[in-house]
Amino acid sequence: MGDALSMWGAAGDGMWREDSIGLGRIADRGAAAEFARRGSVVEAGARGVVLVADVRLADRADLIGQLGLDEVDARVLDDQQLVLRAYLRWGEDCVQRLLGAFAFALWDGRRRRLICARDHIGLRS
């Protein structure tokens, strides 16, 4: 999958595949340095949920409070992991609670459902 899209940019630090489902992210060549600093695939392990995202949250503190996370989690979790936690808590309604620039694809293996979302302005592709 990554090789087929390599003409558009560099593959991230990971691709995920299970059976006939695969997720990954391609960074445009101009964003390679920023892309390298952020992860590309986040999994919720036994819960069967996988997220690939380009996200910069503007409301981290508020979202952390709504999720009931402690200060240690607030420092350790990146924006992608917060989006994943929000999905695990609120399901598809999590998108209504996110403020910032984001685009993501999330595979929920338990429900066999692919969820794709973007911020309301479409700042991330």
Side-chain angles (χ1 to χ4, degrees):
M1 183 170 61
D3 291 343
L5 297 172
S6 65
M7 65 186 261
W8 298 103
D13 62 352
M15 296 274 189
W16 174 88
R17 182 177 58 87
E18 183 176 287
D19 299 324
S20 62
I21 305 296
L23 293 177
R25 189 175 79 172
I26 301 296
D28 97 11
R29 297 191 195 288
E34 178 183 349
F35 184 76
R37 286 192 303 272
R38 295 182 297 175
S40 63
V41 177
V42 179
E43 294 185 56
R47 296 183 181 180
V49 178
V50 179
L51 171 75
V52 61
D54 185 1
V55 57
R56 280 195 190 152
L57 295 175
D59 66 337
R60 280 184 60 88
D62 185 47
L63 186 58
I64 287 166
Q66 290 180 47
L67 289 167
L69 301 175
D70 61 30
E71 290 181 26
V72 173
D73 286 332
R75 284 190 301 261
V76 174
L77 297 175
D78 64 22
D79 287 354
Q80 288 176 253
Q81 292 165 325
L82 288 176
V83 170
L84 183 60
R85 296 271 181 110
Y87 175 77
L88 292 172
R89 173 110 183 244
W90 298 299
E92 294 175 37
D93 292 338
C94 73
V95 175
Q96 307 305 320
R97 296 174 182 258
L98 302 176
L99 293 177
F102 63 87
F104 68 81
L106 182 144
W107 172 250
D108 187 334
R110 298 169 300 172
R111 298 172 59 207
R112 304 227 17 104
R113 181 171 289 192
L114 177 66
I115 297 146
C116 299
R118 290 177 81 173
D119 61 85
H120 68 282
I121 297 174
L123 293 174
R124 295 284 187 239
S125 53

